[in-house]
Amino acid sequence: MTITQEQATWFSQTFSQISDNVERAILGKRQVVELVVTAMLSDGHVLLEDVPGTGKTSLARAVAQSVQGTNTRIQFTPDLLPGDITGITVYDQKSGTFEFHSGPIFANIVLADEINRASPKTQSALLEVMEEKRVTIDGVTRPVGEPFLVLATQNPVEQAGTYRLPEAQLDRFMMRTSLGYPDHAATVRILDGGSVATAELSPVITPQALAGMADLAATVYVDALVLDYIARLVDATRSADEVRLGVSIRGALALTRSVRTRAASQGRTYVTPDDVKSLAVSVLSHRLILHAAAEFDGVTQEAVIGQVLLDVAPPSQREAG
């Protein structure tokens, strides 16, 4: 079953309402807000690379408030243990039974602050839950619920006392983006009290309806020529001179899922090559591993994807529509 035009129009209107609501708390960052909402509706997670004080926590809270969901914040530190994230089983002497005390991962929106400050063992506690939306503790598997979005942050400037995220974990994030500083006009509005506290945000949609939106997005039509275009882009990242390891098949699937959601957010029932172009850098760049010589020369992952987009010819809109 493919999404109808009427459903696509409703999807687009609701997507805009959610984004508008979140943007009341995060002024001047419409593109990032839409990326986060797109990832949430595509069963993905987002890595925010940002300096402190740019509104990452406010963004997570605003998204959770908008979808009437729960939100938690985990401050990652070197002494954080896996059980501090997932929860632990505790023996109750009165009842003589073991009770499970759930950790902060059991929420709709989880802000994993400064994720690269925790040890690799603690970081790995997120691998199963990010991929499968469930946690296995003492042999018992527990679902974390729907929707489920991990918004992880790391400071790209301060590297003292941090652990580089392993490639397997980076690959679990659908997108990497940055809030950055607001522009001058937005800064003046913020200083003048223009942004709304997240506590004042009203929910726009229920978690159940949001899950329905995600199901709708998955039915958006993707032409074989667009799928071929995505495959050629991924192949090109693997053969680029500066790249030691290109985009995985998980990355290609993530791009396909996210462009479906983007097409629906624009009120369309089908994906165009422009949808792919608009999301390729955010979805693919963090999955590349560059040669050391290329990194030394100042080559960035984003620049490589940008060049790939220039080199690989997209199908014409008429062919792919």
Side-chain angles (χ1 to χ4, degrees):
M1 186 191 81
T2 308
I3 186 172
T4 65
Q5 185 56 57
E6 186 180 355
Q7 289 171 325
T9 302
W10 171 83
F11 188 104
S12 176
Q13 291 170 347
T14 309
F15 186 96
S16 292
Q17 288 171 358
I18 296 170
S19 301
D20 289 343
N21 205 46
V22 174
E23 204 181 11
R24 291 174 63 205
I26 308 294
L27 296 179
K29 294 297 175 184
R30 181 70 178 202
Q31 184 181 3
V32 178
V33 168
E34 289 188 350
L35 282 176
V36 171
V37 177
T38 298
M40 181 169 61
L41 290 167
S42 310
D43 285 336
H45 308 286
V46 181
L47 178 63
L48 293 171
E49 279 198 345
D50 251 323
V51 294
T54 50
K56 301 181 291 290
T57 307
S58 296
L59 175 61
R61 284 183 183 150
V63 173
Q65 292 278 6
S66 298
V67 301
Q68 211 172 20
T70 55
N71 74 93
T72 55
R73 179 177 179 273
I74 309 170
Q75 180 62 56
F76 280 68
T77 55
D79 60 349
L80 194 73
L81 298 174
D84 296 331
I85 297 173
T86 59
I88 55 174
T89 305
V90 178
Y91 182 70
D92 188 335
Q93 289 185 324
K94 287 184 179 179
S95 62
T97 58
F98 285 93
E99 285 186 4
F100 176 67
H101 291 217
S102 60
I105 201 67
F106 288 86
N108 296 123
I109 314 292
V110 179
L111 177 65
D113 218 358
E114 295 188 293
I115 190 173
N116 54 336
R117 289 208 173 279
S119 67
K121 181 178 181 180
T122 301
Q123 289 177 14
S124 67
L126 289 171
L127 291 180
E128 179 191 15
V129 68
M130 287 176 67
E131 186 71 15
E132 302 173 28
K133 298 185 179 180
R134 63 185 188 184
V135 178
T136 303
I137 301 164
D138 295 334
V140 180
T141 300
R142 295 176 172 87
V144 291
E146 292 277 354
F148 178 66
L149 170 71
V150 174
L151 268 177
T153 72
Q154 60 177 359
N155 184 345
V157 179
E158 187 182 337
Q159 297 302 324
T162 63
Y163 299 85
R164 187 169 178 169
L165 289 183
E167 282 69 30
Q169 187 164 0
L170 276 174
D171 212 25
R172 295 294 199 283
F173 289 100
M174 174 171 276
M175 299 179 188
R176 180 180 68 182
T177 187
S178 168
L179 267 172
Y181 294 118
D183 59 26
H184 178 77
T187 300
V188 172
R189 287 175 60 201
I190 292 168
L191 295 177
D192 195 37
S195 61
V196 175
T198 51
E200 298 175 27
L201 290 180
S202 302
V204 174
I205 192 171
T206 64
Q208 294 77 17
L210 195 81
M213 284 183 73
D215 292 340
L216 270 181
T219 66
V220 170
Y221 175 71
V222 187
D223 191 86
L225 287 168
V226 176
L227 293 176
D228 176 71
Y229 179 46
I230 292 173
R232 286 187 289 120
L233 286 174
V234 169
D235 286 340
T237 67
R238 298 168 185 166
S239 56
D241 293 337
E242 307 92 342
V243 176
R244 183 159 57 92
L245 189 66
V247 175
S248 67
I249 191 66
R250 182 189 281 130
L253 288 168
L255 183 56
T256 306
R257 290 205 311 272
S258 59
V259 295
R260 281 188 160 113
T261 302
R262 175 178 162 74
S265 75
Q266 303 297 307
R268 280 185 276 105
T269 61
Y270 57 90
V271 172
T272 69
D274 284 343
D275 293 324
V276 178
K277 289 180 183 178
S278 67
L279 292 178
V281 173
S282 297
V283 176
L284 301 182
S285 62
H286 62 286
R287 303 171 195 273
L288 302 180
I289 301 176
L290 303 181
H291 287 295
E295 287 192 63
F296 185 76
D297 289 340
V299 176
T300 64
Q301 296 161 316
E302 289 81 4
V304 172
I305 297 296
Q307 188 59 48
V308 165
L309 287 170
L310 291 174
D311 293 342
V312 178
S316 71
Q317 299 283 21
R318 185 177 300 171
E319 292 175 321

